[in-house]
Amino acid sequence: MVAVDFTASNGNPRNPDSLHYIDPSGRLNSYQQAIMEVGEVIQFYDSDRRFPAWGFGGRTVDGTISHCFNLNGSASDFEVEGVEGIMAAYGNALHNVSLAGPTLFGQVINVAAQIAGQSTSGDRSKYFVLLIITDGVVTDLQETKDALVRASDLPLSILIVGVGRADFTQMEILDADKGHRLESSTGRVATRDIVQFVPMREVQRGQISVVQALLEELPGQFLSYMRCRDIKPFNLHVAETP
């Protein structure tokens, strides 16, 4: 699942200095780069290659500011076909959606959590990954924390890529790498850490790729969820040769 930031702080997409600028030469902007790099790895773990894709913080065609709208412009279907489908929907949305704000994650996380939650009553071997690409610090920090604490019981991991030059210090709070698990407004502590946050500019200065930094914790998060629910891999019956 992918969620893209359409807040005004990204800059006018028509201007070359905008984070959403589509370069005619084909050079990828930071959003396209994150979608391509992560998508090209994750897609192989998705059997139908259909991905839910949303935008947030944008003014949609009906004039309202939405914090979770379907990236493909459809009123009912939020899924797109393959990484190419995400890229195409993103490009089209830039023509149809006006950048607005503020930066709110709560609604997108709750929708992703709802999808992940529905699977727990059926195929328990499913696991979900939400990629959020953003240029700014969340305005609804406590609401985001509450949503993450609730989601920590679900088969869900959330990868957040920070693009641009904003100060992302606050975002590190969401990524409980220092051993302090998130706490909700009611005092409930997250069951496990489900967030990995990576500022793209820092990774680009280092020796590893954005996708390596982002996916570093994902296997552990996946295994911790499956193990604590005693969900084991399917037994593959290998045909015996006579």
Side-chain angles (χ1 to χ4, degrees):
M1 302 182 273
V2 179
V4 176
D5 185 331
F6 278 78
T7 56
S9 52
N10 283 284
N12 187 330
R14 293 181 188 83
N15 296 338
D17 59 352
S18 167
L19 291 167
H20 279 310
Y21 180 66
I22 304 293
D23 194 327
S25 72
R27 185 169 174 267
L28 300 181
N29 67 32
S30 295
Y31 285 90
Q32 292 172 311
Q33 194 181 331
I35 292 167
M36 285 293 289
E37 288 192 12
V38 177
E40 285 184 346
V41 174
I42 294 281
Q43 68 171 339
F44 295 104
Y45 297 89
D46 190 310
S47 56
D48 65 1
R49 306 271 173 96
R50 289 182 60 80
F51 304 112
W54 304 288
F56 59 92
R59 191 182 299 278
T60 53
V61 285
D62 64 2
T64 59
I65 294 174
S66 171
H67 298 292
C68 186
F69 58 88
N70 296 342
L71 204 59
N72 60 9
S74 166
S76 54
D77 187 16
F78 48 65
E79 287 192 323
V80 297
E81 294 273 353
V83 178
E84 304 78 18
I86 303 171
M87 295 288 273
Y90 165 66
N92 289 335
L94 288 174
H95 293 294
N96 302 316
V97 177
S98 305
L99 304 189
T103 306
L104 308 178
F105 285 179
Q107 206 172 329
V108 159
I109 293 171
N110 286 335
V111 172
Q114 191 179 355
I115 292 170
Q118 286 166 352
S119 78
T120 57
S121 56
D123 183 355
R124 294 173 72 227
S125 68
K126 283 187 177 177
Y127 195 84
F128 297 80
V129 177
L130 169 63
L131 170 65
I132 300 176
I133 314 168
T134 183
D135 84 311
V137 176
V138 284
T139 314
D140 61 337
L141 187 61
Q142 190 55 59
E143 189 186 332
T144 298
K145 282 184 182 179
D146 291 350
L148 290 172
V149 170
R150 286 192 299 271
S152 67
D153 282 329
L154 298 171
L156 176 66
S157 284
I158 298 173
L159 312 174
I160 305 174
V161 180
V163 298
R165 304 185 184 285
D167 178 6
F168 290 114
T169 312
Q170 250 195 312
M171 302 289 269
E172 302 285 357
I173 298 166
L174 303 177
D175 186 348
D177 278 350
K178 294 180 174 67
H180 302 293
R181 285 191 183 166
L182 289 179
E183 192 172 316
S184 74
S185 50
T186 59
R188 187 185 160 204
V189 177
T191 310
R192 60 198 182 93
D193 174 24
I194 62 169
V195 176
Q196 175 75 331
F197 170 70
V198 172
M200 194 178 261
R201 66 170 183 264
E202 288 185 19
V203 176
Q204 286 169 336
R205 288 199 299 260
Q207 298 298 311
I208 63 169
S209 69
V210 172
V211 74
Q212 280 176 294
L214 264 182
L215 301 181
E216 194 175 30
E217 294 179 11
L218 186 55
Q221 291 176 0
F222 165 75
L223 286 171
S224 71
Y225 175 83
M226 294 298 175
R227 282 173 178 154
C228 71
R229 277 157 186 76
D230 199 29
I231 301 170
K232 293 183 168 60
F234 294 127
N235 283 322
L236 296 177
H237 297 290
V238 181
E240 289 183 14
T241 52

